Amino acid sequence: MSRRAVILAGGMGTRLRPYTVVLPKPLMPIGDYPILEVIIRQLISGGFQHITLAVNHQAELIKAFFQDGDKWGVRIDYSLEDEPLGTMGPLRLIKDLPENFLVMNGDILTDLNYADFHDAHVRDGNIFTISSKTRQHRIDYGVLDTGEAGLLTGFREKPTAEYKVSMGVYMVSSRAVEHIPQGGAYGFDQLMLDLLAAGKPATVRDFAGYWLDIGRPDDYALAIEQFESMRSRFLNG
């Protein structure tokens, strides 16, 4: 099965400053490699033969590093945004997308099996598939439960809530792309709401493995530390 991927690599990386003043976030090093190279190596291992990098901020640095992908034995090309288009808007610029393709952020460290994720979406005929991770969030306050009269009905000291969050990894069908307007910024959140309104909801596929978004300095430092101890888990040895 031919597999195609689009990696969103055009963000400003504002949450990761001051690191990203010099380098675009996808070129931030994790161990021996930029995080984007780790992702590309993983995709190649998963049988992806064609990867498009959607670029904007410091695009020339990214293009100079990855060029046409010949170094890694994969086809790499580029889609350049003249203006920020959000997470889903860039897909409208790419004219040769297949019926089903993977879309992901370029700053993710995970051991997700991209091939399995791709093939499950195709097999099930989904319009859009989201890879999700369960996250726990601790509330650092005592939570008061009250009734209509303002009387206390319960009390929870620093409770923990669980949420399913998007990992920033998606499988997209051409049927979903039809809902993305031409021109202007258009995000993942807008597409999800538009698909819901159209009665065509996305499918959520839970993932139990490792996932970390390196968008913040603390998470980036954690990714560097954990990559070294778990290298074979991310790069198959």
Side-chain angles (χ1 to χ4, degrees), residues 58-141:
Q58 295 181 309
E60 293 306 316
L61 288 178
I62 296 174
K63 292 170 73 173
F65 187 90
F66 291 102
Q67 301 183 44
D68 63 0
D70 183 65
K71 174 181 176 181
W72 295 273
V74 67
R75 177 185 172 188
I76 295 178
D77 56 19
Y78 301 86
S79 176
L80 178 63
E81 306 170 23
D82 294 328
E83 59 179 340
L85 295 177
T87 48
M88 293 292 119
L91 301 182
R92 275 298 194 184
L93 298 179
I94 306 171
K95 302 305 182 183
D96 62 343
L97 291 172
E99 184 177 354
N100 295 284
F101 55 96
L102 184 139
V103 177
M104 65 179 295
N105 296 337
D107 58 356
I108 295 169
L109 184 62
T110 181
D111 60 353
L112 175 70
N113 187 315
Y114 293 111
D116 286 352
F117 182 63
H118 175 285
D119 295 353
H121 165 90
V122 174
R123 182 186 65 243
D124 296 340
N126 299 335
I127 187 170
F128 196 105
T129 306
I130 306 166
S131 186
S132 75
K133 182 74 175 173
T134 299
R135 276 284 186 255
Q136 292 188 339
H137 176 70
R138 184 183 181 189
I139 300 172
D140 292 329
Y141 303 96

Side-chain angles (χ1 to χ4, degrees), residues 9 11-12 19-28 57-59 61-62:
M12 298 286 289
Y19 299 114
T20 49
V21 171
V22 177
L23 285 176
K25 184 165 57 171
L27 292 185
M28 295 299 298
H57 178 62
Q58 295 181 309
L61 288 178
I62 296 174

Side-chain angles (χ1 to χ4, degrees), residues 16 19 23-36 38 214 220-221 223-224 227:
L16 202 53
Y19 299 114
L23 285 176
K25 184 165 57 171
L27 292 185
M28 295 299 298
I30 301 288
D32 303 333
Y33 309 106
I35 181 62
L36 184 52
V38 172
I214 70 161
Y220 175 56
I224 293 173
F227 180 84

